[in-house]
């Protein structure tokens, strides 16, 4: 007879404070060999031996505790608890694949039961003309009411200020805020969650019959589902080719089969239009998760899912962990988006975890994009994933005609403006015929940073290796550590007094446009104009309603709404995103340019896109202008293969953090020697990370490449083992498998 293990480590009830400590129980004979890792068990807990439920996390033959202190497992939890069991397996998978501890993985996977009040984000909004505010501020100054004065001056500079900023950074009390509201200087606005569409909006959504391309996809995947062999699918479809319509049909089929659907979207891409289409089909059986919800609100949604009150959840990557009992379909829209990868340990990628969940539940994974990630297309090429192509725009209309403009030639012929002659001509025409224009600058810019015009340096945080931003009330703030400092009058590096805030690129473009076309209304969308909640939607919808003729923005404007009146898209400096020192720079540029170009010509009129660049011969530019994904893929994949980057190989980044630069760097060296001694080759570093210091912690990074993921897993295990005995002096480590950026 094979002896089962005698003891089991059990994690009791998944409540956050107990997660980190498993308790050891004895396995009674009758359960020996039956209980395994992942089993759900009933156990006595605490002084009163109250019966609780728990998960077995490990089995062992020995236990150091005194015999009398160990209690017996009472039994297995009855019945199927598929959602919970699945969560546990997923957590184990995440831990094994991405590193970190089991409890970190469980925290990512299991909704936290929090008895917290929903967090309300409030914003103070100016309601009085600036002149009147100035008078009030002067009066407050005379009366020595300094907090009140501070707040009023802040309101003069900024129309909207988050209340958290008012209380924390400006150090203004609630009663002062109230007095300002009472006198009518400002009001409070609180955030609302995604608004549900009204009935009339739902009725407006037309019923559509699929075209043949769409039908092929729906039928093929539907047949696999019916045959019980649902797999992974990639829909490569140009923007507007009707992917969402395909998702809707597949979701409908799944729900009819009494199974549930998880629809993943990158947060920012959830448009009101998409939402309305889902509501019109599924009504109250749909629920939306978003990242601004409190954990309590998220937990409520999970409870509804568990109770069977909803069939479809729409949300960002964490929606993957909705505890549905019988998942039939996971859809991943815009599957190439970087926001699908978690930024915190465990740094899992939603695509991989979705695959695992589908495997466990026998569900289909349907991914879609106009510009698929190299990872997915690579798998499709190798036959791991079934590929479908949608090549036509579903609602008619055609792709815009795209021209590449060589900015070097513009310079040679004496045009120093940010607009090429060709773009200027097309803008003139569009304006005259009353069409709309989008101008796109593919870089955030350095808005709000303070730079010295003598030595060229920017003012950086003393604790972090990043520039500080200028804020209300002549203060500098660091967005990494929250530290504030008074705005210096002299350059900290050279002592010069010529310090000036850098303007965002988009702001400069807008100023230029306003000079060129004084009678044309413009809207600007970037980090600065969208910091207040809801402003993103507001700008897009006022552009959609024709309140402005030109929309200027960063990459935010390439997603979301359809604008049928846009006939011209101008990409002002396509190279900006190519200049980033990262192995994904070309892929990002290709994606951005393809999407941006695709914004024109959505309606009846044909569209034009102009790509202005200093590198007109670069393949990312040429292929995006031609909307030729396959050609881009071939060139880019050849580069990844030669240079050894994902998806040609897997890459593990190990980051060490510590408050002492020397100690951290020498531990990193020691670690890389250990890795080498275990036979790993293709090691890069250790080297300081791109951002070498945050919050007074220095960062060093080591990369290891290997085509075989198991090899990397064993390297990671070696590192974890080595570091458990070594890590001290507040140093710590983070692993990142297949990082989306060089760190
Ligand atoms: P994607 O998700 O690929 O960008 P959508 O599904 O949003 O595309 O479709 C783009 C537009 O075409 C939408 O307005 C949609 O209503 C419309 N559409 C989709 N499929 C069809 C179809 N078969 N016939 C007519 N219009 C369609
Ligand atoms: Zn200087
Ligand atoms: Zn800082």
């Amino acid at each position: 007879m094979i002896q089962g293990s005698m003891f089991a480590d059990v994690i009791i009830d998944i409540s956050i404070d107990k997660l980190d400590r498993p308790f050891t129980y004895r396995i009674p004979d009758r359960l020996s060999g039956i209980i395994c890792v992942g089993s759900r068990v009933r156990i006595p807990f605490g002084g009163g031996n109250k019966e609780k439920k728990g998960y077995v996390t490990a089995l062992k033959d020995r236990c150091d505790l005194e015999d009398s202190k160990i209690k017996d497992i009472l039994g297995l939890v009855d019945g199927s608890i598929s959602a919970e069991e699945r969560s546990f397996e997923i957590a184990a998978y995440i831990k094994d694949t991405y590193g970190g501890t089991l409890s970190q993985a469980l925290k990512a996977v299991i909704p936290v039961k929090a008895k917290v009040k929903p967090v309300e984000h409030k914003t103070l909004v100016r309601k009085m003309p600036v002149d009147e505010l100035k008078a009030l501020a002067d009066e407050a100054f005379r009366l020595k009411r300094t907090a009140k004065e501070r707040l009023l001056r802040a309101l003069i500079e900024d129309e909207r200020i988050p209340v958290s900023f008012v209380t924390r950074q400006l150090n203004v009390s609630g009663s002062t805020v109230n007095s300002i509201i009472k006198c009518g200087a400002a009001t409070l606005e609180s955030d609302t969650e995604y608004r549900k569409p009204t009935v009339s909006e739902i009725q407006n959504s037309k019923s559509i019959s699929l075209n043949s391309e769409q039908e092929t996809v729906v039928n093929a995947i539907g047949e696999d589902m019916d045959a019980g062999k649902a797999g992974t699918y990639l829909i490569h479809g140009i923007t507007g080719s009707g992917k969402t319509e395909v998702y809707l049909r597949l979701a409908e089929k799944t729900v009819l089969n009494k199974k549930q659907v998880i629809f993943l979207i990158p947060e920012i891409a959830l448009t009101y239009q998409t939402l309305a289409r889902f509501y019109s089909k599924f009504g109250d059986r749909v629920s939306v998760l978003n990242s601004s919800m409190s954990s309590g609100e998220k937990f409520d949604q999970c409870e509804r899912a568990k109770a069977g009150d909803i069939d479809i959840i729409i949300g960002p990557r964490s929606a993957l962990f909705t505890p549905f009992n019988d998942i039939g379909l996971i859809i991943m829209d815009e599957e190439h988006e970087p926001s699908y990868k978690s930024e915190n340990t465990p740094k899992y990628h939603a695509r991989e975890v979705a695959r695992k969940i589908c495997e466990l539940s026998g569900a289909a994974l349907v991914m879609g994009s106009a510009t698929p990630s190299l990872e997915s297309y690579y798998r499709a090429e190798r036959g791991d994933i079934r590929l479908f192509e949608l090549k036509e725009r579903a609602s008619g209309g055609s792709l815009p005609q795209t021209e590449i403009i060589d900015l070097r030639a513009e310079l040679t012929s004496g045009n120093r403006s940010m607009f090429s002659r060709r773009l200027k001509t097309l803008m003139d025409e569009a304006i005259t015929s009353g069409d709309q224009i989008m101008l796109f600058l593919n870089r955030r810019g350095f808005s709000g940073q303070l730079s010295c015009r003598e030595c060229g340096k920017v003012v950086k945080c003393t604790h972090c290796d990043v520039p500080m931003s200028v804020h209300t009330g002549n203060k500098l703030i660091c967005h990494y550590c929250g530290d504030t400092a008074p705005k210096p009058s002299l350059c900290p590096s050279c002592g010069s007094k010529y310090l000036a805030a850098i303007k965002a690129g988009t702001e400069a473009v807008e100023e230029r446009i306003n000079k060129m076309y004084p009678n044309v209304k413009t809207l600007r969308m970037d980090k600065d104009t969208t910091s207040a909640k809801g402003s993103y939607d507001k700008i897009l919808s006022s552009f959609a309603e024709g309140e402005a003729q030109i929309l200027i923005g960063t990459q935010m404007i390439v997603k979301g709404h359809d604008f049928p009146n846009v006939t011209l898209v101008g990409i002002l400096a396509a190279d900006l995103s190519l200049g980033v020192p990262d192995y994904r720079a070309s892929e990002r540029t290709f994606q951005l340019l393809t999407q941006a170009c695709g914004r024109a010509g959505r309606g009846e009129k044909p569209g034009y896109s102009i790509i202005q660049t200093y590198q007109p011969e670069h393949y990312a530019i040429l292929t995006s202008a031609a909307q030729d994904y396959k050609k881009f893929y071939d060139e880019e994949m050849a580069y990844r293969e030669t240079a050894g980057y994902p998806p040609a190989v897997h890459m593990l980044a190990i980051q060490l953090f510590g408050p002492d630069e020397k100690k951290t760097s020498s531990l990193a060296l020691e670690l890389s020697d250990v890795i080498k001694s275990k036979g790993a080759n293709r090691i890069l570093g250790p080297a300081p990370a791109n951002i070498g210091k945050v919050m007074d912690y220095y960062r060093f990074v080591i990369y290891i490449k290997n085509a075989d993921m198991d090899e990397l897993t064993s390297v990671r295990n070696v590192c974890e083992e080595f570091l458990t005995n070594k890590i001290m002096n507040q140093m710590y480590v983070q692993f990142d498998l297949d990082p989306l950026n060089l760190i």
Side-chain angles (χ1 to χ4, degrees):
M1 196 185 102
I2 301 166
Q3 264 249 231
S5 306
M6 298 181 56
F7 302 97
D9 278 344
V10 177
I11 279 188
I12 294 164
D13 236 8
I14 305 302
S15 69
I16 194 123
D17 44 332
K18 285 170 193 155
L19 274 179
D20 274 305
R21 175 148 143 57
F23 293 85
T24 303
Y25 285 84
R26 189 185 298 108
I27 303 175
D29 283 347
R30 71 192 154 86
L31 293 175
S32 167
I34 295 172
I35 283 179
C36 53
V37 174
S39 292
R40 258 205 123 205
V41 290
R42 295 181 287 117
I43 56 256
F45 189 72
N49 281 336
K50 209 165 164 227
E51 187 176 315
K52 294 250 180 199
K53 287 173 188 164
Y55 289 100
V56 175
T57 60
L59 296 177
K60 41 194 195 183
D61 293 325
R62 279 168 9 107
C63 174
D64 299 334
L65 289 172
E66 250 173 70
D67 222 33
S68 62
K69 291 210 169 137
I70 305 180
K71 299 173 188 173
D72 278 9
I73 290 180
L74 301 173
L76 285 165
V77 175
D78 291 334
S80 95
I81 25 104
S82 51
E84 273 107 345
E85 258 164 13
R86 190 180 63 229
S87 301
F88 193 83
E89 281 207 37
I90 296 300
Y93 165 81
I94 288 178
K95 174 193 147 45
D96 289 347
T97 313
Y98 296 98
T101 65
L102 184 63
S103 56
Q104 283 169 330
L106 281 166
K107 273 176 201 163
V109 163
I110 294 182
V112 177
K113 179 160 188 158
K115 284 210 184 75
V116 288
K117 272 198 296 187
V119 193
E120 233 184 325
H121 302 277
K122 288 190 177 155
T123 309
L124 200 60
V125 185
R126 182 206 298 158
K127 273 284 167 278
M128 215 176 241
V130 168
D131 291 347
E132 288 179 41
L133 283 180
K134 280 191 178 140
L136 278 182
D138 291 342
E139 187 191 270
F141 171 74
R142 277 197 306 276
L143 299 174
K144 294 204 168 59
R145 307 218 21 213
T146 52
K148 186 169 182 181
E149 189 205 347
R150 202 157 55 234
L151 179 54
L152 286 165
R153 302 251 182 246
L155 272 173
I156 291 168
E157 284 191 42
D158 281 323
E159 200 183 331
R160 305 174 62 90
I161 312 173
V163 170
S164 56
F165 188 89
V166 172
T167 50
R168 279 181 226 140
Q169 264 81 21
L170 294 178
N171 198 16
V172 171
S173 72
S175 61
T176 306
V177 174
N178 283 338
S179 78
I180 275 180
I181 293 170
K182 234 184 229 156
C183 74
T187 54
L188 273 187
E189 266 181 24
S190 47
D191 295 348
T192 45
E193 23 175 325
Y194 281 105
R195 170 174 81 92
K196 278 195 185 176
T198 59
V199 176
S200 68
E201 280 162 327
I202 287 172
Q203 279 165 350
N204 275 339
S205 82
K206 45 191 180 280
S207 75
I208 289 173
S209 56
L210 296 183
N211 62 34
S212 67
E213 281 188 333
Q214 290 169 315
E215 208 153 310
T216 309
V217 185
V218 172
N219 289 345
I221 299 176
E223 276 163 26
D224 282 1
M225 284 173 156
D226 290 339
K229 47 175 196 188
T232 306
Y233 310 87
L234 174 63
I235 306 176
H236 173 211
I238 59 168
T239 39
S241 60
K243 293 184 293 295
T244 308
E245 201 54 40
V246 169
Y247 304 148
L248 277 165
R249 298 299 168 105
L250 291 169
E252 198 174 21
K253 180 176 175 63
T254 309
V255 171
L256 281 174
N257 289 341
K258 303 244 174 310
K259 294 186 178 207
Q260 297 93 42
V261 181
I262 296 172
F263 182 36
L264 297 180
I265 35 112
E267 184 99 6
I268 203 156
L270 178 59
T271 65
Y272 188 64
Q273 288 162 343
T274 307
L275 208 55
R277 281 158 84 180
F278 272 86
Y279 274 113
S280 76
K281 257 211 164 76
F282 304 102
D284 272 351
R285 309 286 299 172
V286 184
S287 176
V288 180
L289 278 186
N290 67 67
S291 59
S292 59
M293 283 176 159
S294 69
S295 50
E297 286 170 299
K298 284 182 188 158
F299 186 78
D300 289 346
Q301 297 304 319
C302 289
E303 290 291 283
R304 290 183 67 206
K306 230 193 257 177
D309 291 344
I310 51 176
D311 297 318
I312 299 182
I313 192 117
I314 304 179
R317 94 183 157 244
S318 62
L320 265 183
F321 307 122
T322 308
F324 282 130
N325 286 315
D326 198 1
I327 298 173
L329 173 66
I330 298 181
I331 299 162
M332 221 175 143
D333 194 23
E334 311 278 353
E335 64 87 31
H336 62 277
E337 279 291 320
S339 67
Y340 280 127
K341 179 149 183 168
S342 164
E343 286 136 30
N344 308 317
T345 303
K347 300 189 175 185
Y348 68 89
H349 198 297
R351 192 191 299 125
E352 310 306 321
V353 176
R355 249 164 101 95
K356 182 75 188 171
I357 294 175
C358 287
E359 211 176 273
L360 291 173
S361 334
L365 173 58
V366 176
M367 306 186 287
S369 172
T371 52
S373 64
L374 256 72
E375 276 74 6
S376 295
Y377 207 81
Y378 184 63
R379 284 184 187 162
E381 289 245 299
R382 289 157 38 119
D384 294 348
I385 294 182
R386 185 150 171 208
L387 177 67
F388 297 101
E389 311 241 9
L390 300 180
K391 296 199 166 106
E392 303 292 329
R393 283 209 159 154
S395 53
S398 51
L399 284 173
Q401 204 176 319
T402 304
E403 290 171 43
I404 299 174
I405 304 291
D406 186 347
L407 285 175
R408 294 168 308 190
E410 289 294 314
L411 270 182
T412 334
S413 53
N415 177 13
R416 298 184 169 279
S417 120
M418 51 178 103
F419 308 103
S420 61
R421 289 158 298 174
R422 177 70 177 144
L423 180 57
K424 174 83 171 55
T425 310
L426 288 172
M427 288 200 295
D428 291 345
E429 282 172 18
I431 287 168
T432 317
S433 32
D435 297 333
Q436 286 184 304
I437 302 171
M438 285 168 100
L439 295 176
F440 170 62
L441 203 67
N442 54 340
R443 189 176 57 176
R444 284 212 202 99
F446 306 105
S447 122
Q449 294 170 16
L450 212 52
S451 108
C452 169
R453 272 184 279 161
E454 294 277 285
C455 73
K457 295 212 168 109
V458 289
V459 179
K460 287 190 172 183
C461 173
T462 48
H463 308 285
C464 311
D465 186 17
V466 291
M468 296 187 94
S469 309
V470 184
H471 257 254
T472 319
N474 274 345
K475 259 189 185 172
L476 293 181
I477 184 162
C478 168
H479 287 300
Y480 278 73
C481 69
D483 194 33
T484 55
K487 195 162 141 188
S489 47
L490 301 177
C491 168
S493 301
C494 75
S496 129
K497 58 183 180 195
Y498 298 109
L499 278 177
I502 309 178
K503 267 188 195 156
T506 42
E507 204 177 336
V509 174
E510 190 178 38
E511 277 175 14
R512 196 67 220 124
I513 288 283
N514 291 342
K515 281 214 184 89
M516 275 161 60
Y517 304 109
N519 300 319
V520 173
K521 284 222 175 93
T522 56
L523 280 165
R524 175 161 67 92
M525 187 146 109
D526 53 30
K527 238 168 124 187
D528 297 338
T529 60
T530 54
S531 56
K533 176 111 195 235
S535 49
Y536 174 81
D537 282 335
K538 224 189 220 154
I539 295 174
L540 287 180
S541 56
S542 69
F543 188 59
E545 276 152 30
E547 283 164 29
Q549 208 169 357
I550 305 181
L551 175 62
I552 300 151
T554 55
Q555 45 185 295
M556 291 178 179
I557 64 173
V558 306
K559 306 205 175 100
H561 282 60
D562 259 350
F563 303 110
N565 291 324
V566 172
T567 58
L568 176 63
V569 169
I571 294 149
L572 296 179
D575 326 70
L576 287 180
S577 56
L578 277 178
V580 182
D582 200 291
Y583 76 98
R584 280 184 197 263
S586 299
E587 187 180 1
R588 294 258 156 81
T589 302
F590 175 82
Q591 289 165 349
L592 282 173
L593 297 189
T594 309
Q595 286 180 347
C597 289
R599 305 302 311 180
R602 290 289 183 99
E604 257 119 62
K605 295 190 196 167
Y608 287 95
S609 333
I610 297 296
I611 301 179
Q612 303 190 149
T613 175
Y614 290 98
Q615 301 172 70
E617 65 292 331
H618 193 288
Y619 65 92
I621 301 214
L622 288 171
T623 52
S624 60
Q627 301 264 331
D628 189 345
Y629 176 83
K630 188 61 177 46
K631 185 144 187 237
F632 169 77
Y633 170 85
D634 287 339
E635 294 243 15
E636 180 66 13
M637 201 57 221
Y639 155 70
R640 302 273 175 100
E641 249 146 27
T642 322
Y645 283 115
V649 298
H650 290 288
M651 186 158 86
L652 176 68
I654 306 172
Q655 229 186 143
L656 279 173
F657 302 78
D660 183 308
E661 188 172 9
K662 275 217 186 85
K663 281 184 189 152
T664 317
S665 122
S666 68
L667 183 65
L669 265 176
E670 226 181 308
L671 183 64
S672 81
D673 286 342
V674 171
I675 299 167
K676 279 180 201 148
S677 75
K678 297 288 173 186
N681 40 34
R682 305 186 81 179
I683 301 177
L684 306 176
N690 275 340
I691 296 176
K693 184 175 77 167
V694 170
M695 294 198 209
D696 292 319
Y697 268 68
Y698 293 86
R699 309 171 149 202
F700 290 85
V701 64
I702 303 171
Y703 292 101
I704 307 146
K705 297 173 177 180
N706 202 310
D708 184 354
M709 187 131 97
D710 293 341
E711 299 264 333
L712 290 182
T713 305
S714 66
V715 166
R716 201 191 60 226
N717 289 338
V718 166
C719 294
E720 279 180 336
E721 202 169 301
F722 169 76
L723 292 170
T724 20
N725 306 320
K726 283 281 177 188
I727 289 235
M728 55 190 99
N729 304 327
Q730 299 165 296
M731 289 190 275
Y732 66 100
V733 67
Q734 259 184 19
F735 298 99
D736 194 348
L737 179 67
D738 291 340
L740 294 187
N741 304 90
L742 294 182
I743 293 163

